[in-house]
Amino acid sequence: MNTTLKKCLLMATTCTMLTGFAATTVTPPVQAAGAAESLLSGGLAMVYVSSAINKMDNTDQGQQESLENAKKQTGYYDNPAAQARVKGILANLEKSPLVKRKGYTVYVNPDNEFNAFMTIGRVMSVNKGALDKLDDSELAYVMAHELSHGEHKDIVNGLKKQVGLATAVSAVDGGNNLLANIAGNYINNQVFTMSQEKNADKLGFQILADTDYNIGGAPAAMVVLRNAYGDHYREGLASVINPNNHPKTSGRVTTNNQYMYEYSGNHVSVSGETVYVNGVNIYTPAASGQYTGEERAYFMAGKLAKMYHKGQIYTGAASYSGPSVIVAGTSVITTPGADVASMVANNLNTAFAKPAPEDKNGKGASKSNANTNTKKSASKSQTKKASTSHANHDVSRPVKLKV
């Protein structure tokens, strides 16, 4: 044990003797000294470790060391455009008043899997694979989720729990090098609890809602994840396949759909791949390019939810221009043609005249999208025919759509 800790132990023992409670039993001096030293050494070692970990997480030096260590483990994707993309998204997310801890940093690693992680020192890493599969709104939600882990200090708390008493005492003798190694290894083994994941999903959605990104990107990102890996997924540098401590991905789609519904004032939701407003079936988009029909439904719903939240929706607010459906001056969806756009606009104006449903979950939000086939592929979705479901109007034909 190092000299400083021994001095602290002696002082602590002395203070205990001077300020302790009235004793009812007198322990032999030799036994008391041994027990006190053992107890206090362990306690002070844990205090030392806790302080050192906090320093690693909160200081510029700790961040730089963590960043360098993370890059050594993951590699660095040498693509200026990709690096600028994530840095720009991070800057936008950090503008949210919900992000209290400033000074996060992010980099892209070359892994082609869909993944991202936050580690100690406010360092975030996003896999190249996530950038390849997601648009900016979807990627912003994934990054907002990781920011939430940083805001909740899940990494710091997890690391402290992982450092045992024996390791803590060794860390006092070995200095910060041992702790740095422990922190580095933790990247490979970090595990978040179910509640931590759910809390990060919720705060992540709220942070996203504070930005100009489409809030439909939250459930849409989970759709992409579910379609790629099914219901079991684990974030971080470790295996993508998930143990049982993460919520099912289909459940995360449904939860984010519910958050969007509540954000809209209980007006807008998605069921399956269909957009509903005030309980009215509005439109079922088809796949287009990299987007599945389900993703496009969430993006359309996200725009409408934001408009309701801002008080921009009124009766007769919907119109169309060619294949585009316009609400309050903003395009919310591009359909196969003017005839379909006209019907969608009519459906929206019918829905806008209605109040929010009494059912707190609304049409679609109460129905779990877990029923969607989790094994369907994006490529299969992209080849399906466009379909719309409207009163007195039915269109079903192969088309190419644009978001």
Side-chain angles (χ1 to χ4, degrees):
M1 187 178 304
N2 67 23
T3 305
T4 302
L5 183 54
K6 285 184 177 179
K7 289 180 179 178
C8 289
L9 288 168
L10 181 58
M11 291 175 63
T13 304
T14 304
C15 290
T16 303
M17 291 171 64
L18 293 174
T19 62
F21 298 103
T24 56
T25 304
V26 178
T27 306
V30 175
Q31 293 181 20
E37 180 171 349
S38 182
L39 214 66
L40 288 169
S41 65
L44 289 174
M46 291 302 292
V47 170
Y48 168 85
V49 166
S50 179
S51 176
I53 290 175
N54 287 337
K55 183 178 180 181
M56 293 168 65
D57 194 50
N58 295 324
T59 65
D60 291 341
Q61 179 183 350
Q63 182 180 74
Q64 189 59 37
E65 291 174 354
S66 178
L67 178 61
E68 291 174 0
N69 178 68
K71 287 180 179 179
K72 286 180 182 178
Q73 294 194 55
T74 65
Y76 181 82
Y77 183 43
D78 188 13
N79 184 303
Q83 301 296 342
R85 182 183 174 194
V86 295
K87 289 184 185 299
I89 291 175
L90 176 61
N92 289 331
L93 294 173
E94 283 190 302
K95 293 176 184 177
S96 167
L98 295 173
V99 181
K100 308 295 185 183
R101 304 180 69 203
K102 304 302 180 182
Y104 287 92
T105 189
V106 63
Y107 73 96
V108 181
N109 70 69
D111 196 311
N112 287 318
E113 294 288 351
F114 179 144
N115 223 330
F117 67 86
M118 175 72 72
T119 190
I120 195 165
R122 293 155 294 130
V123 174
M124 185 193 307
S125 183
V126 184
N127 288 18
K128 172 184 176 293
L131 274 69
D132 293 341
K133 294 177 176 67
L134 305 175
D135 78 354
D136 280 2
S137 292
E138 293 167 327
L139 183 58
Y141 173 69
V142 170
M143 292 175 61
H145 172 95
E146 297 305 327
L147 272 181
S148 299
H149 282 307
E151 289 298 294
H152 295 151
K153 295 196 172 185
D154 293 334
I155 299 89
V156 171
N157 295 331
L159 181 55
K160 288 178 181 178
K161 289 179 181 178
Q162 195 175 82
V163 176
L165 182 58
T167 306
V169 175
S170 298
V172 175
D173 285 327
N176 289 333
N177 287 338
L178 178 58
L179 279 177
N181 290 334
I182 294 171
N185 291 331
Y186 185 64
I187 295 178
N188 292 286
N189 301 298
Q190 65 183 20
V191 175
F192 299 120
T193 66
M194 181 79 78
S195 63
Q196 286 174 331
E197 281 300 295
K198 289 181 177 180
N199 289 337
D201 277 352
K202 184 174 184 178
L203 180 58
F205 180 89
Q206 293 170 338
I207 292 172
L208 184 70
D210 278 342
T211 71
D212 292 331
Y213 295 112
N214 190 325
I215 58 172
M222 295 299 99
V223 167
V224 175
L225 184 61
R226 182 203 65 206
N227 290 350
Y229 298 109
D231 255 345
H232 299 296
Y233 165 82
R234 172 179 172 180
E235 66 191 275
L237 190 58
S239 173
V240 172
I241 302 303
N242 179 32
N244 293 322
N245 62 334
H246 277 49
K248 288 184 176 181
T249 310
S250 56
R252 296 172 79 178
V253 174
T254 303
T255 298
N256 277 294
N257 185 30
Q258 180 68 24
Y259 290 153
M260 183 172 62
Y261 174 71
E262 293 169 359
Y263 181 83
S264 74
N266 299 350
H267 292 285
V268 185
S269 65
V270 173
S271 179
E273 300 182 7
T274 300
V275 178
Y276 286 84
V277 175
N278 295 329
V280 177
N281 180 327
I282 302 299
Y283 186 52
T284 304
S288 175
Q290 73 181 73
Y291 299 98
T292 64
E294 191 175 2
E295 283 178 89
R296 296 188 71 222
Y298 281 117
F299 282 125
M300 180 183 181
K303 289 181 178 181
L304 294 170
K306 179 77 82 169
M307 290 176 182
Y308 262 113
H309 187 81
K310 290 183 174 181
Q312 297 173 336
I313 298 295
Y314 53 89
T315 302
S319 61
Y320 71 99
S321 177
S324 297
V325 179
I326 312 296
V327 177
T330 300
S331 174
V332 295
I333 193 73
T334 301
T335 69
D339 56 340
V340 180
S342 173
M343 292 305 301
V344 174
N346 287 337
N347 288 346
L348 282 170
N349 284 326
T350 297
F352 291 163
K354 294 178 175 290
E358 292 183 7
D359 177 2
K360 66 179 181 178
N361 289 315
K363 175 67 176 179
S366 63
K367 292 185 177 181
S368 172
N369 284 316
N371 294 329
T372 303
N373 185 353
T374 60
K375 295 184 180 180
K376 69 180 180 180
S377 65
S379 60
K380 180 178 179 181
S381 297
Q382 289 169 1
T383 60
K384 68 186 178 182
K385 293 183 178 180
S387 63
T388 58
S389 178
H390 308 295
N392 304 319
H393 187 82
D394 182 32
V395 176
S396 181
R397 57 183 176 181
V399 294
K400 292 184 179 180
L401 306 182
K402 295 187 295 183
V403 172

